[in-house]
Amino acid sequence: MSSETPSQKLPGYVIFISSVAAIGGFLFGFDSGVINGTVEALQETFNASDFGTGFNVSSMLLGCALGAFIAGGMADKFGRKPVMIATAIGFLISAIGSGLANTTTVFVIFRFIGGVSVGAASVIAPAYIAEVSPAVFRGRLASLQQLAIVIGLFIAFISNYLIAKAAGSAKNDFWFGIDAWRWMFWIECIPAILFGIGAAIAPESPRYLVAKNKDEQAAAVLKRVHILTTVEQKIKEIHDSLRSQEPPKFRDVLEPGTSRIRTIVWIGIGLSVFQQFVGINVIFYYGAVLWKAAGFTEDQALLMNVISGFVNVSATFVAIATIDKIGRKPLLLVGSIGMALMLGAVAVVFASAGLNEEGTLALSKTQGLIALICVHLYIFAFAISWGPVVWVMLGEMFNNRYRGAALGIAASAQWFANFAITITFPVMLGTIGLAGAYGTYTFFALLSVAFVWFLIKETKGRELEEM
C-alpha cells in the first residue's frame, strides 16, 4: 500500500520533469492540429482527390501506429530518456520537411516521420510520468499529458488562424513570399527543440533503472521525486513487482504458457479504440472543412477551431482537478453519456438542414447555433473524460513487468483506429454526409458506456506495484 497521503506536498522537481515529458504531448497535439488549417491548401497545391486529401491528413497516423508499437520495447531496452530525445529529433525533422515538401510523396514521408514521433510520445510521456509520480498525485500529474496535448492543439489552431488571417488565406504567400501553410508547419520547430533540451536534462525513470539493476541511481532519483518513508522499501517493492532480475520482454504481455494476449491488454486496446471511434479527431483534423461544409466561411471556420481548442483546454483543467477525487471510471461514464447525447443532437441538426444552390449544407441561424453549442458540449464531455482518463489509465493499469510493451500495443491500436476514422471522414462526407458521419460516432459513444460499465476497474490511488 502507498505510504503517501494527500496532505503531503508534491515535490516541485516532480512537476518539472513531468512537465518536460508532457512537452512530448504538446508536440503530439500541435502536430495533430496543425494539419487542420492546411487541408484545402494541400489539396490545391498537390491537386489531390478526396481520398488523396484524406491520406495526406491520415498518413501521419500510420507513423503514429508504428511509433507507438516500437516505443514501448525501445523504452524498456534503452530507457525512457533516450527515446524522448530521439522523439524530439523526429519532430524537428518532420516539421522542417513537411513545410519544404513540393509533392504529395515528400509530404507524406515527412508526416510519417512526425507520426512515428507522435506515436512514441503517446507511449513514453504517460509511462514516464506515471513512473516518477507519487501515487496520490499520479492522476493529476499524468493528466499533464492530456493537458499538453490539448494546449498543443489550441496553439496550433491559434497559430493557423493568425497566419491565415495575416496572409489572407493558408494558400497565399506569407513571410519571404513563402506559402502560409508551410509556415504553419515550421512553427513546430520551437517546441521540438525545447523538448530535446528538456529530455536531455531530465533523469531516467527510477523503475527502469531498477529493472536494469541500477538500484543506486534509482534511489537517487526516488529521493528527489517521491514522498516516502524509506527509498529502500520502494526499491524492494519495484523489484518484487518485476518478479525477477531479467529485463522485461515483449512476450510478457501474453498469458503465461500461452500465445494469448492478457485480458488487461485487450481492455487497454478497447479504451484506445473507443477514444477514437467517438470521432473527436474529425473535429481536430477537419474542423475547418467540417464548419465550411456546414455553411461557414474559411475565416469563421478557423475561428471555430480556436473556440474548440479553448473549450478543450478549459475542460481538461476540470479533469485534472477531479480525476484523483472522483476517480477514472465515473469520469469515463459521464463522458460517454454526454458525448452520445451531444453527437446524437448534432446528427439530427445536420439531417434536418437544407441545401444551398451549390448543394452544400445551409444551416439556419437556429440550427447553426444548436450545432455550435452541441459540438462544443461534446468536446467538453470528451475533454473531462476520455481525453485525459485514457492516457492516465494506460500509463498506470499495466503491471511494471510489461507496462512499456502493453502501453505500446494499446497506443498502436489507438493510432490505427484514428487512421480509420480520419481517412474515412472525407469519403463519408461525400456519401452519407455530416448527419451519417455523426450518427456513426453516436453509435460508438453509446457502445463505450457499456464497455466502461462492465469492463473497467478503478485505479485511483493505487501504487503501480499493486496493479
Side-chain angles (χ1 to χ4, degrees):
M1 296 299 291
S2 173
S3 59
E4 301 146 11
T5 63
S7 61
Q8 291 173 306
K9 186 178 180 181
L10 178 62
Y13 186 66
V14 180
I15 298 175
F16 168 70
I17 61 175
S18 296
S19 298
V20 166
I23 297 175
F26 178 93
L27 284 158
F28 168 172
F30 191 99
D31 207 58
S32 300
V34 69
I35 194 75
N36 192 313
T38 68
V39 174
E40 290 193 345
L42 291 171
Q43 187 170 23
E44 183 175 301
T45 301
F46 302 141
N47 194 28
S49 63
D50 285 345
F51 180 82
T53 298
F55 193 74
N56 283 337
V57 176
S58 60
S59 58
M60 179 192 80
L61 303 175
L62 293 177
C64 292
L66 175 62
F69 187 75
I70 66 175
M74 298 292 284
D76 283 340
K77 184 175 182 179
F78 300 108
R80 281 57 168 151
K81 180 173 176 172
V83 176
M84 285 196 291
I85 294 172
T87 297
I89 294 171
F91 276 121
L92 184 63
I93 292 172
S94 173
I96 294 172
S98 297
L100 289 174
N102 283 313
T103 67
T104 295
T105 301
V106 173
F107 180 79
V108 166
I109 289 171
F110 281 106
R111 288 294 287 169
F112 183 85
I113 292 172
V116 173
S117 295
V118 169
S122 72
V123 171
I124 299 306
Y128 180 86
I129 293 171
E131 290 178 349
V132 300
S133 302
V136 71
F137 297 112
R138 193 176 59 241
R140 275 165 280 179
L141 287 170
S143 295
L144 285 175
Q145 162 79 350
Q146 180 65 16
L147 178 62
I149 291 171
V150 299
I151 289 176
L153 278 165
F154 186 44
I155 296 301
F157 293 157
I158 291 177
S159 173
N160 286 353
Y161 174 72
L162 294 176
I163 290 174
K165 192 170 183 64
S169 171
K171 307 169 190 175
N172 295 346
D173 290 346
F174 191 43
W175 290 331
F176 308 112
I178 299 172
D179 297 334
W181 67 264
R182 299 182 188 276
W183 286 102
M184 292 177 180
F185 288 107
W186 289 338
I187 293 294
E188 188 180 349
C189 292
I190 298 171
I193 292 171
L194 290 176
F195 183 39
I197 294 172
I201 296 171
E204 184 53 83
S205 159
R207 287 176 172 84
Y208 168 79
L209 292 171
V210 172
K212 294 296 183 180
N213 296 314
K214 298 180 179 180
D215 289 7
E216 290 185 8
Q217 294 179 39
V221 178
L222 283 169
K223 287 176 182 177
R224 300 193 68 181
V225 303
H226 261 266
I227 310 165
L228 303 164
T229 52
T230 62
V231 168
E232 292 75 13
Q233 178 61 28
K234 173 54 65 176
I235 290 178
K236 182 180 182 303
E237 290 175 7
I238 297 172
H239 270 304
D240 289 344
S241 73
L242 293 172
R243 297 200 307 272
S244 78
Q245 300 302 306
E246 296 179 7
K249 296 181 176 61
F250 195 83
R251 67 171 177 266
D252 291 327
V253 301
L254 303 178
E255 295 286 359
T258 74
S259 58
R260 298 192 306 271
I261 294 176
R262 293 175 187 266
T263 301
I264 189 67
V265 178
W266 281 115
I267 292 174
I269 291 171
L271 279 170
S272 294
V273 170
F274 274 115
Q275 190 199 53
Q276 297 305 312
F277 276 14
V278 295
I280 190 67
N281 281 319
V282 166
I283 292 177
F284 294 141
Y285 296 158
Y286 292 108
V289 174
L290 187 155
W291 289 114
K292 287 188 73 175
F296 293 89
T297 65
E298 179 183 3
D299 189 59
Q300 290 172 331
L302 289 173
L303 184 58
M304 294 295 179
N305 288 339
V306 175
I307 295 172
S308 299
F310 177 77
V311 171
N312 201 10
V313 172
S314 301
T316 303
F317 278 110
V318 175
I320 291 173
T322 57
I323 191 168
D324 282 324
K325 297 176 183 177
I326 296 175
R328 284 63 159 155
K329 185 169 182 173
L331 283 177
L332 288 175
L333 284 171
V334 169
S336 290
I337 294 169
M339 288 189 297
L341 291 173
M342 293 304 104
L343 285 168
V346 173
V348 170
V349 168
F350 287 148
S352 61
L355 300 176
N356 59 22
E357 295 178 355
E358 298 174 355
T360 58
L361 280 180
L363 301 181
S364 67
K365 288 185 178 180
T366 300
Q367 289 173 325
L369 181 61
I370 292 173
L372 185 64
I373 292 172
C374 288
V375 164
H376 287 100
L377 286 175
Y378 157 67
I379 293 171
F380 183 88
F382 177 87
I384 64 168
S385 59
W386 283 81
V389 173
V390 169
W391 290 115
V392 170
M393 292 199 71
L394 290 181
E396 67 185 7
M397 67 190 286
F398 303 118
N399 184 281
N400 277 341
R401 180 73 185 167
Y402 53 84
R403 178 175 299 110
L407 216 168
I409 291 172
S412 182
Q414 182 179 109
W415 291 115
F416 277 118
N418 195 340
F419 175 79
I421 287 293
T422 304
I423 199 168
T424 56
F425 177 72
V427 178
M428 292 173 74
L429 188 62
T431 53
I432 61 176
L434 285 174
Y438 274 83
T440 302
Y441 308 143
T442 302
F443 171 74
F444 285 112
L446 288 170
L447 279 184
S448 72
V449 177
F451 176 81
V452 174
W453 183 266
F454 291 109
L455 295 176
I456 298 301
K457 294 183 179 180
E458 185 57 68
T459 56
K460 180 184 73 171
R462 299 179 63 186
E463 284 284 358
L464 297 183
E465 286 65 52
E466 296 177 58
M467 297 300 177

